[in-house]
Amino acid sequence: YAASKVSAEEFLDGTGIESTHVLLEAARQADEQAVRAEPANPSLDTLIDEITSPSIGGEMVYKLLDIVGDLCGRCVLFAVHSESFQAVGHFGIDAGGSSSRKLSQLRVSREEPSLLTRAAERQSPLLAKLQTVDGDAMILDALGGPSESKSLALPVKVDDTIIMVLYGDQLAEGLSTGWIEQLEIAVLETVRGLFAPPDWAAATPDA
């Protein structure tokens, strides 16, 4: 599985869509092989601490937000805790406005029904309209209002554990069939490049 950056143009014009399913399946199989062959990644706790630290030393945070920058008008990255989803980074929100302040303090309980909870439970991306009740209402309030488009929630895994959920809305027009799967591949490459054990690349089959 050869790592390559997925550009906004590829999402918009559908380049390489035919091979998306093959690439994604190969990546997932490589993940399973790596997990079986290696003990749990000892840096996982460190990674979660980094993501949720006030300083957000978050090279990963910024890179993941950058990946979706051309696809979504608004994006929030949530760290996943045992009892809640904590907003740790965002873009598309007025930095000096009340929404930015609300997002910096936003925690959505995992007990509350929400798009984030459903995506985390499914362990796969979910595209749907946010509701105006429960956990979704908290997200809408922090964002400053609803989006005309559907919203995307994409779980981010390390060692088969969901550590973050990418949320995005105000989706760009003209996104082709398969764009979510290509986004998932791009996110997986970023996670591997920053935090995966060095021998993952050797264990990954070429596409």
Side-chain angles (χ1 to χ4, degrees):
Y1 172 51
S4 61
K5 182 173 178 60
V6 181
S7 67
E9 290 77 15
E10 289 176 313
F11 283 110
L12 294 172
D13 65 18
T15 302
I17 291 296
E18 294 81 1
S19 62
T20 294
H21 290 285
V22 176
L23 288 170
L24 188 55
E25 181 61 25
R28 284 174 172 164
Q29 289 178 3
D31 284 346
E32 293 173 359
Q33 292 172 3
V35 169
R36 287 195 298 267
E38 297 291 338
N41 186 353
S43 66
L44 182 56
D45 289 339
T46 302
L47 170 57
I48 294 175
D49 288 343
E50 178 183 344
I51 293 168
T52 58
S53 67
S55 61
I56 317 252
E59 185 181 1
M60 175 184 250
V61 171
Y62 299 122
K63 286 197 173 186
L64 290 179
L65 290 176
D66 182 63
I67 288 174
V68 296
D70 293 331
L71 308 175
C72 305
R74 301 186 301 194
C75 181
V76 184
L77 186 60
F78 290 89
V80 178
H81 299 275
S82 59
E83 298 181 353
S84 66
F85 301 95
Q86 176 190 1
V88 295
H90 61 82
F91 73 78
I93 308 297
D94 182 5
S98 61
S99 291
S100 181
R101 291 191 295 273
K102 287 181 179 179
L103 281 171
S104 67
Q105 302 170 4
L106 179 61
R107 280 182 179 263
V108 179
S109 172
R110 296 185 66 171
E111 297 298 320
E112 291 279 351
S114 70
L115 185 67
L116 303 178
T117 299
R118 298 202 307 274
E121 290 176 347
R122 287 164 44 122
Q123 299 193 28
S124 62
L126 185 60
L127 188 66
K129 275 277 192 179
L130 286 188
Q131 304 300 308
T132 56
V133 295
D134 303 320
D136 284 353
M138 296 178 62
I139 299 172
L140 287 174
D141 178 64
L143 288 171
S147 167
E148 293 183 0
S149 74
K150 290 183 177 180
S151 298
L152 172 69
L154 189 152
V156 180
K157 288 184 179 181
V158 170
D159 285 347
D160 209 33
T161 298
I162 296 174
I163 61 167
M164 290 180 287
V165 177
L166 267 170
Y167 168 87
D169 63 19
Q170 296 182 352
L171 302 180
E173 296 182 359
L175 294 174
S176 57
T177 302
W179 71 271
I180 294 177
E181 290 176 328
Q182 288 208 20
L183 174 59
E184 192 174 10
I185 291 171
V187 168
L188 176 61
E189 289 178 350
T190 299
V191 173
R192 283 181 170 179
L194 292 173
F195 299 102
D199 57 350
W200 271 28
T204 304
D206 292 333

